[in-house]
Amino acid sequence: MIDRRRFLQTAAATAAALTAAPAFAQTGSSAAADALVARIGEEAVDVNPLLATNLGLDNGARAGLKAKLAPAGLSARAEAIARNDRWLAEIRAIDASTLTGQSAASFDVVRFQAEALDAAKGFGYGDFGFVDASAYPIQPYTISQLTGAYQSVPDILDTQHSIETADDAEAYLSRLSALAEVIDQQVEAGRADGAKGVIPPDFIVAKALVQMAALRGVPAAEAGLTTSVARRAADKGLAGDWAARAETIVSREIYPALDRQIALFEGWKGRATSDAGVWAKPDGAAYYAADLRLMTTTELGPDEIHQMGLDQSRDILARMDAILKAQGMTEGSVGARMSALGKDPRQLYPNTEAGKARILTDLNAQIVAMQARLPEYFGRLPKSGVEVRRVPVAIEAGAPGGYAVSPSLDGSRPGAYYINLRDTAEWPKWSLPTLTWHEAIPGHHFQGALAVENTGLPLISKALFFSAHGEGWALYAEQLADEMGVYATDPFGELGYLQSLLFRASRLVADTGLHHKRWSREQAIRYMVETGGDEETSIASEVERYCVWPGQACSYKIGHTEWVRLREGAKAALGDRFDIRAFHDAALGVGGVPIETLQIVVADWVASRRA
């Protein structure tokens, strides 16, 4: 998840800031397009209070948003579709043929997103939204182990809703009441979807119930939702009975709403099937195609993606086999040997609080070491720092292995990447460096912070996260770390990097297997464990993630493949004139974009270097 910030209102300001994005030379008249892009960005924030908080924009004229959450029921779904219809009509009314530079890139951003969502609006179930601070905009299940306000909002309130004044604390309490309303709205939407046969698979229902029970089972006085405001108000010396008031809202409003959500899922136990893929839902094949289009920002179909995963996995396995043999590990498949290596006690941290704390310490040290290498590969470096944090225990059972949150606009909140420490056996020591490069620097934090800090970007180019672009960059960052020589004396670390690449390649196979080839959950888990040798509990959680976020898992390797292809093409075209620092600065200078827009950005940069 990428944080974003303030945004330029005029074409003149945009042109003046283009020194921050050297790939472009602004030409032509772009006032109407710039104005529309600007207004869409502003409206997207206005209708999503959590996005405003994420951006650090819930102040001044938008201070009222800090006390709100966006509605999430059936009427909100209809409003999101109507809003996208309006935006798309305005987008299509503009002649974009003469746009160049940042104007063209940012206009492509809003046009692609609006058209992708327009293609998906007719399904009549699941989540739908142009911009959302906590979710992907097309997903079949409003509530699951990874989706729903119960799963995302508590952590956002604790880590992103700042409390400096009594008004901030009052706004927090208002959001607690709003959370109860949103949970009920999502129950309404989930029940309506269930009537259409859109119920999560039975294993997802079971896992979500475990998480809901964990959240509901804590006494209201001890709940994180209560203690967060009490602790932080006390730290600021704010007078008021914040703990008692929060406890009352949690016990009288949020917990009863959670009980109704739990009841909905309990009622689904007898109806849910083990069918893991979206193929089993209404218009499932078309739904998956829409998700693949949005997540990969390409026209690749499921069969092509499946074969890509098989081919790339084969090539990566050959590289891993050579390293393993050089280390004297010659027996069995690569997956079996990696599995054995992952169980070596010398490669494991103790599965204790002390062992988990040690992981965080070591990862933060890796960030410091990488920081010194960056100037050789990048002309522009982010000003914001990054911290490694633990995924909250309450949601770690269903949460991904890691994810990043970019810094706040005003610098008051550093960037962070969260690592899931439910079981240290999932993180052998040799696997951790590449996670740091992916989630922190030069991966997600680096890319997100540069966008946040680039005053030449319109708000929408900071607010929208295109998975193939962003996740592809983070995987490219893993490769770049290898090219920097970080594994020159660390063959096991290099194996960790290659296993990460293999993991993403095998995702192409598993995701298309689940949603297109009708694989079972168990079949997908078996394929990935046997291929890469990862810990089965970790892979099970990953596969369950793919079940509720169709297509998202494909964005990583497809995006990585395209980043590498574009760089190598630029090298071939420019020869001695190719500069890796300038390439990175140009490609990252436009914010988040679809892959097809990135191709134009790089082509323009190559042409400018030839001139």
Side-chain angles (χ1 to χ4, degrees):
M1 180 168 59
I2 300 292
D3 273 321
R4 314 86 175 155
R5 252 199 265 181
R6 201 171 32 147
F7 128 71
L8 296 172
Q9 297 287 340
T10 67
T14 302
L18 282 173
T19 54
F24 290 103
Q26 190 74 44
T27 62
S29 174
S30 59
D34 289 347
L36 178 59
V37 169
R39 180 162 55 78
I40 288 176
E42 296 287 354
E43 290 180 9
V45 173
D46 289 339
V47 299
N48 194 330
L50 283 183
L51 179 60
T53 293
N54 181 253
L55 294 170
L57 294 175
D58 55 357
N59 49 51
R62 289 193 173 101
L65 294 179
K66 195 164 187 175
K68 300 178 181 179
L69 299 177
L74 294 175
S75 60
R77 186 185 292 174
E79 289 170 6
I81 292 173
R83 184 164 51 247
N84 193 67
D85 287 345
R86 173 171 56 83
W87 284 342
L88 185 57
E90 294 180 90
I91 289 166
R92 287 173 171 169
I94 288 180
D95 179 8
S97 62
T98 62
L99 295 179
T100 60
Q102 189 64 56
S103 290
S106 296
F107 192 79
D108 275 354
V109 162
V110 296
R111 177 168 55 189
F112 178 91
Q113 188 81 347
E115 289 180 345
L117 294 179
D118 183 66
K121 70 182 181 183
F123 296 110
Y125 61 86
D127 271 1
F128 182 100
F130 193 93
V131 177
D132 192 307
S134 62
Y136 291 94
I138 302 176
Q139 50 197 13
Y141 311 117
T142 301
I143 312 166
S144 71
Q145 89 284 17
L146 286 178
T147 57
Y150 88 98
Q151 197 272 345
S152 60
V153 172
D155 184 49
I156 293 174
L157 291 184
D158 185 50
T159 61
Q160 298 185 36
H161 180 110
S162 61
I163 295 180
E164 299 290 336
T165 67
D167 285 345
D168 293 337
E170 291 288 355
Y172 180 100
L173 295 179
S174 295
R175 275 182 160 170
L176 288 187
S177 291
L179 174 58
E181 295 175 5
V182 169
I183 290 173
D184 275 332
Q185 290 166 353
Q186 290 182 330
V187 168
E188 171 205 29
R191 184 175 292 113
D193 289 348
K196 299 175 182 177
V198 182
I199 295 172
D202 52 10
F203 52 88
I204 298 296
V205 169
K207 176 164 279 190
L209 279 170
V210 169
Q211 293 185 178
M212 294 174 198
L215 184 62
R216 177 65 178 85
V218 179
E222 301 171 18
L225 290 166
T226 300
T227 60
S228 176
V229 65
R231 180 188 73 252
R232 293 188 289 148
D235 289 345
K236 296 298 180 180
L238 304 179
D241 200 359
W242 307 109
R245 293 174 65 191
E247 178 186 357
T248 297
I249 296 171
V250 171
S251 63
R252 296 183 182 178
E253 299 178 37
I254 293 176
Y255 279 1
L258 269 175
D259 288 339
R260 290 185 284 273
Q261 183 170 287
I262 289 170
L264 174 67
F265 271 62
E266 289 286 352
W268 280 348
K269 279 183 175 179
R271 296 177 56 196
T273 71
S274 61
D275 294 331
V278 75
W279 62 266
K281 309 307 174 188
D283 297 319
Y287 198 104
Y288 187 47
D291 263 322
L292 284 178
R293 172 63 175 153
L294 185 61
M295 290 301 170
T296 71
T297 63
T298 72
E299 298 288 352
L300 293 173
D303 288 318
E304 189 175 359
I305 293 171
H306 193 86
Q307 189 60 48
M308 178 189 295
L310 292 172
D311 293 342
Q312 293 195 8
S313 294
R314 182 186 62 248
D315 295 342
I316 298 166
L317 283 166
R319 292 180 62 187
M320 295 175 71
D321 181 52
I323 296 173
L324 286 165
K325 286 178 177 176
Q327 299 304 310
M329 302 179 69
T330 60
E331 300 298 324
S333 68
V334 168
R337 281 176 279 170
M338 291 300 296
S339 180
L341 187 61
K343 293 178 174 61
D344 184 342
R346 296 170 295 180
Q347 296 289 344
L348 299 176
Y349 290 86
N351 195 32
T352 62
E353 289 306 307
K356 294 172 183 181
R358 183 64 189 178
I359 288 178
L360 298 178
T361 298
D362 289 352
L363 293 179
N364 280 302
Q366 290 170 5
I367 289 173
V368 173
M370 174 56 76
Q371 194 75 43
R373 296 177 180 264
L374 296 181
E376 186 178 349
Y377 294 87
F378 299 91
R380 288 180 293 129
L381 302 175
K383 300 174 183 177
S384 304
V386 60
E387 300 174 355
V388 185
R389 300 173 185 168
R390 182 177 178 179
V391 170
V393 174
I395 64 170
E396 65 183 7
Y403 55 89
V405 179
S406 288
S408 64
L409 194 68
D410 58 8
S412 61
R413 186 185 72 241
Y417 95 74
Y418 287 79
I419 181 171
N420 195 322
L421 297 179
R422 59 193 161 216
D423 185 350
T424 59
E426 296 179 2
W427 296 114
K429 294 176 182 178
W430 43 263
S431 71
L432 287 170
T434 197
L435 178 70
T436 299
W437 320 144
H438 182 104
E439 299 293 350
I441 55 175
H444 282 314
H445 167 74
F446 190 97
Q447 181 186 39
L450 283 178
V452 164
E453 295 167 4
N454 187 347
T455 56
L457 294 182
L459 179 59
I460 202 68
S461 292
K462 303 178 184 186
L464 283 178
F465 180 73
F466 289 96
S467 195
H469 180 270
E471 298 296 356
W473 169 264
L475 199 52
Y476 170 84
E478 297 181 27
Q479 176 176 327
L480 186 64
D482 179 45
E483 292 168 348
M484 290 177 180
V486 298
Y487 304 123
T489 59
D490 182 12
F492 292 111
E494 186 177 4
L495 280 170
Y497 153 62
L498 291 172
Q499 188 183 48
S500 176
L501 281 185
L502 179 63
F503 176 50
R504 274 42 179 261
S506 63
R507 274 178 166 178
L508 300 179
V509 180
D511 194 87
T512 52
L514 288 164
H515 298 293
H516 177 62
K517 296 183 178 294
R518 305 191 177 192
W519 285 11
S520 68
R521 168 187 177 272
E522 292 71 25
Q523 188 176 357
I525 292 172
R526 185 170 63 252
Y527 168 77
M528 293 192 70
V529 169
E530 291 177 354
T531 299
D534 293 281
E535 183 70 21
E536 184 166 343
T537 57
S538 175
I539 292 300
S541 181
E542 282 291 322
V543 167
E544 289 161 359
R545 166 188 172 184
Y546 312 156
C547 293
V548 301
W549 284 348
Q552 193 267 349
C554 296
S555 64
Y556 295 68
K557 202 64 178 68
I558 289 172
H560 167 248
T561 300
E562 192 62 20
W563 272 102
V564 174
R565 186 189 70 81
L566 289 172
R567 186 189 70 177
E568 295 308 300
K571 277 185 179 181
L574 293 175
D576 292 343
R577 285 176 289 178
F578 179 82
D579 180 346
I580 189 68
R581 297 164 79 250
F583 170 79
H584 289 151
D585 291 352
L588 293 176
V590 293
V593 294
I595 289 296
E596 55 197 34
T597 305
L598 181 64
Q599 294 167 349
I600 297 171
V601 169
V602 173
D604 285 352
W605 177 76
V606 169
S608 72
R609 302 287 287 190
R610 281 174 161 172

